[in-house]
Amino acid sequence: MDISDHVLIERTVKSQDQHAYSQLVRRYQSRLRVALRQMCNGDEALADDIAQEAFIKAYKALAGFKSESQFFTWLYQIARNQLVSHLRKKFPEVDSEAVERAGASTVAPGSGEMIKRDLGQAMAQLSAHQREAIHLTYQLGHSNEEVANLMHLPVGTIKSHILRGKAKLKEILHEWQGETPNEFG
Amino acid sequence: MSSDKFDQWLDDVLAEEMYLDDDGFTESVMARLPQTQLSERRIRTWNWLAGTLATAVVAAFFPWAQVTGVVTGLSTETWMIIATATGALFTAAAIGGGVWSERAPV
């Protein structure tokens, strides 16, 4: 039986049980790394570095964690802040719109069927906000309100990012579908 | 392809969560965590426990009957000598400690 996050956190904080914390890391490493890869636009090494830093920072700050929110939500916020400060250090002169533009990949569409790989490539063409909002909503299952909290944006803006992102995905995938025969053809 | 079918396909594919194998990630994180340091309170608790245990073991094997016999057999003069020697020892220790602390650099 899986031990709850709450119990593992309590053991880590009160008994300084690092084994308990390792169970939390193992439980959430995939979700966090996938989420960060979306935000880093496929830069796996950077995503994994940020994920490691986030887990270490979370461990140091765990005593201050309030169980009102989910552990992953809190961890995600730490990771997101880490990434933002990393990008600011790396590109101090670049404004946020330029970061978004840089985030939009120039990956060429795949020539095969319309499969998940194509969707990944299509996702890379979205703006950073659209990509993050869609990932948090569909792939991590957060509500619009939770996504708004995580991204520090109003709920209306999140809904708009999701709608526009989905419309853009549809447009891109339809475009590729026109170029190559696929399962929907 | 109908728009509904496409929407459904998109929703389904997006909802599929990709899983990344740990592949040593957790070990790397754990290796970089700060080492745990025992709290003062915990150290004090362990010291008390160890002291109590040692006292209990000594008390269990101590030859109480023999010692009681010897102690009750001592004369008043012997008790006076023991008391004076003990007092002198403690006085010397206190004076020595005081002198040493005065001389020690601050």
Side-chain angles (χ1 to χ4, degrees), chain A residues 14-16 18-19 21-22 25-26 29-31 33-34 37 48 51-53 55-56 59-60 114-116 119 123 134 138-140 166 169-170 173-174 177 183-184, chain B residues 1-39 42:
Chain A
K14 289 192 178 161
S15 316
Q16 298 192 324
Q18 290 199 341
H19 177 69
Y21 192 67
S22 77
V25 177
R26 218 175 288 279
Q29 59 85 18
S30 175
R31 287 181 85 179
R33 287 162 71 204
V34 169
R37 283 180 188 192
D48 283 4
Q52 278 202 10
E53 292 297 330
F55 274 116
I56 292 165
Y59 176 79
K60 290 177 184 167
M114 186 191 285
I115 52 174
K116 280 188 224 165
L119 181 67
M123 285 279 280
I134 287 179
Y138 287 95
Q139 290 167 318
L140 298 186
K166 274 184 76 177
L169 276 179
K170 205 166 167 180
L173 291 170
H174 265 140
Q177 188 190 353
E183 62 182 296
F184 296 108
Chain B
M1 176 189 64
S2 71
S3 180
D4 282 351
K5 194 180 171 189
F6 183 89
D7 279 341
Q8 187 56 51
W9 175 84
L10 192 57
D11 286 349
D12 289 347
V13 177
L14 284 172
E16 279 178 32
E17 194 178 332
M18 192 167 89
Y19 183 80
L20 291 177
D21 281 332
D22 186 278
D23 217 11
F25 180 87
T26 302
E27 280 72 24
S28 319
V29 172
M30 298 314 291
R32 289 181 58 197
L33 290 185
Q35 288 305 303
T36 50
Q37 286 181 342
L38 289 175
S39 68
R42 187 171 291 191

Side-chain angles (χ1 to χ4, degrees), chain B residues 3-89:
Chain B
S3 180
D4 282 351
K5 194 180 171 189
F6 183 89
D7 279 341
Q8 187 56 51
W9 175 84
L10 192 57
D11 286 349
D12 289 347
V13 177
L14 284 172
E16 279 178 32
E17 194 178 332
M18 192 167 89
Y19 183 80
L20 291 177
D21 281 332
D22 186 278
D23 217 11
F25 180 87
T26 302
E27 280 72 24
S28 319
V29 172
M30 298 314 291
R32 289 181 58 197
L33 290 185
Q35 288 305 303
T36 50
Q37 286 181 342
L38 289 175
S39 68
E40 284 288 318
R41 195 178 157 196
R42 187 171 291 191
I43 291 169
R44 214 176 305 132
T45 308
W46 279 109
N47 281 345
W48 273 105
L49 279 176
T52 310
L53 189 70
T55 309
V57 170
V58 170
F61 292 101
F62 195 77
W64 293 107
Q66 272 179 283
V67 174
T68 310
V70 171
V71 168
T72 49
L74 290 177
S75 64
T76 312
E77 287 78 18
T78 313
W79 275 115
M80 290 297 284
I81 291 166
I82 291 173
T84 308
T86 310
L89 201 69

